[in-house]
Each structure stands twice: as C-alpha cells, then as structure tokens.
Amino acid sequence: CQAIASCIEPTATDNFGLSTLVSDHLSGDAFPVGETLVTYIATDLAGNETSSSFSVTVEDQEPPQLIGMPSDIDLDSSPALCSTIHVWDAPTAIDNCGVATLTSDHQSGDTFALGATTVSYSATYIHGNTISSSFTVSVHDLESPSISGLPAEMSLQSEPGSCSAMANWASPLITDNCGVASSGSDFSSGDTFGIGTTTVTYTATDHSGNSSTFAFMITVEDGEDP
C-alpha cells in the first residue's frame, strides 16, 4: 500500500555561502497512499532560510481479491418442497491496503427456489476499489407427483338385463411439491365396464416433466342366470 518516489534532488545557492540543505523526505523514499508534502529547507551561513515544497500523490489502483469463491452447483429440491437449503464456505476478501468489506446478496444457509439463482459477492476497500464475482445455485425437481385415494381394485356384478356394470369411485388426490401441470385417466368414474377385467390408469405430470401413474382393476362378473 505504498510506492517509491525518485526524483532529482534540488540544489541551493547563496551569495554568502550555503550552510545546509535538508528535507523531510529523500528521493527513493516509500510514500503511503494519499498525498504527502515534501519540503526542502536551505539555510545560508547567516541563518537565512528558504523553503520549497512539492506533493507526492500515491493512488491505490489495485482491486481487492476474492479467495475461495464457491463453484456453480446443481442441487435436488428437498423432499416435499420446491426449494432447498444450500450451505457453503464464504470467500475471503483481501486487499493490499487493508481489510476489504465483503457483501453478498445471499448468505450461506439461504433457501433457494427451483431454477437457477446467481449468488454475487462484492469486495470494496476504503479507497473505493471494488471487485465482484458470482456463482450459480441450480435447483432441480426430481420428485414425481403423488396420486392417492383410488381403490386397489373393484369387483362388480353385471346390472340386471345388461352385460355390463357402471363403476363409481372418488376422484383421486393428486399433489406435487412444485405443482401439477397435467393429470388424466383413460376412464372416468361413472363409466360402464363390460364383463371381464379392465385396467384403469391415472397419470399425473408436474412442471418439470416428472410423471406418476396409478392403476387399478375393475372386474365385472356375470351373475345373472339365463
């Protein structure tokens, strides 16, 4: 946090003779950041003095450094949630002129939603030099929808005078940690089923493309004599 300044030393002359020429700084001295006044004083043999000064200004143009910046990371969402918590070791900010101030828009242990989130760090020193860096936290949904509330199977007798039977069942409960995009079935409650066994299949898909299926069988028996 300093710089060496070199210059041609001044000379002094006097009609009566020179006694001393002194300065509070010399060529080749190290100067700190900021402005330093360098003063030369010449004294003649009669004790008369003359002084002259100039300024040495050192500017800090070296930005801070971020050490240990985390890398981009891919995470799965937490069970039953559309987000997850991510913990990381924060980087260290160093500077040639002292300790830099480190700020970030996210902190280790924050909750990150589905998708990609950029985490930015910025280090600033008192002289105003700043450096920024970032990494990405990407959260993916790998959890399929849940389908519940459907019967395991159904057994029915054909309706009188008919070779089929109507089947009724409650609508299933379909849930997903990030929301259901679509759901459907190849049969609906209230449909008529012929003699034999028919498989009813429900399918649900979430917004990330994860799908689940649930199937049950409906068996219709002919219990009516000729």
Side-chain angles (χ1 to χ4, degrees):
C1 194
Q2 62 184 15
I4 294 175
S6 298
C7 64
I8 299 175
E9 296 282 358
T11 59
T13 60
D14 186 79
N15 61 322
F16 191 69
L18 187 66
S19 174
T20 59
L21 176 62
V22 296
S23 175
D24 49 3
H25 292 86
L26 298 175
S27 176
D29 281 356
F31 292 81
V33 169
E35 184 178 355
T36 302
L37 188 67
V38 178
T39 302
Y40 280 83
I41 301 175
T43 306
D44 65 13
L45 295 174
N48 301 310
E49 291 184 351
T50 297
S51 64
S52 183
S53 302
F54 67 93
S55 296
V56 175
T57 302
V58 178
E59 297 179 352
D60 176 19
Q61 298 183 347
E62 184 175 344
Q65 298 182 55
L66 288 172
I67 307 299
M69 193 70 189
S71 301
D72 295 344
I73 189 168
D74 291 282
L75 302 171
D76 295 337
S77 59
S78 299
L81 297 176
C82 197
S83 60
T84 193
I85 293 173
H86 182 42
V87 177
W88 65 89
D89 292 329
T92 301
I94 61 174
D95 189 80
N96 61 313
C97 286
V99 179
T101 300
L102 183 65
T103 59
S104 177
D105 50 3
H106 291 84
Q107 303 300 321
S108 176
D110 280 356
T111 298
F112 292 84
L114 191 70
T117 302
T118 300
V119 179
S120 298
Y121 276 89
S122 180
T124 305
Y125 184 61
I126 189 172
H127 296 146
N129 297 320
T130 301
I131 188 172
S132 298
S133 187
S134 64
F135 67 97
T136 302
V137 178
S138 299
V139 180
H140 305 280
D141 174 25
L142 301 180
E143 188 173 338
S144 299
S146 172
I147 304 173
S148 60
L150 290 171
E153 59 180 357
M154 297 180 68
S155 295
L156 304 172
Q157 295 290 318
S158 61
E159 298 173 358
S162 176
C163 195
S164 61
M166 180 184 294
N168 292 285
W169 61 87
S171 298
L173 176 63
I174 302 176
T175 59
D176 186 77
N177 60 317
C178 290
V180 177
S182 63
S183 63
S185 175
D186 48 0
F187 293 95
S188 300
S189 177
D191 283 355
T192 298
F193 294 84
I195 298 295
T197 300
T198 302
T199 300
V200 178
T201 303
Y202 274 84
T203 302
T205 304
D206 65 15
H207 294 283
S208 296
N210 303 309
S211 295
S212 292
T213 60
F214 184 91
F216 67 95
M217 292 182 293
I218 297 177
T219 300
V220 178
E221 298 178 349
D222 179 14
E224 187 176 345
D225 294 331

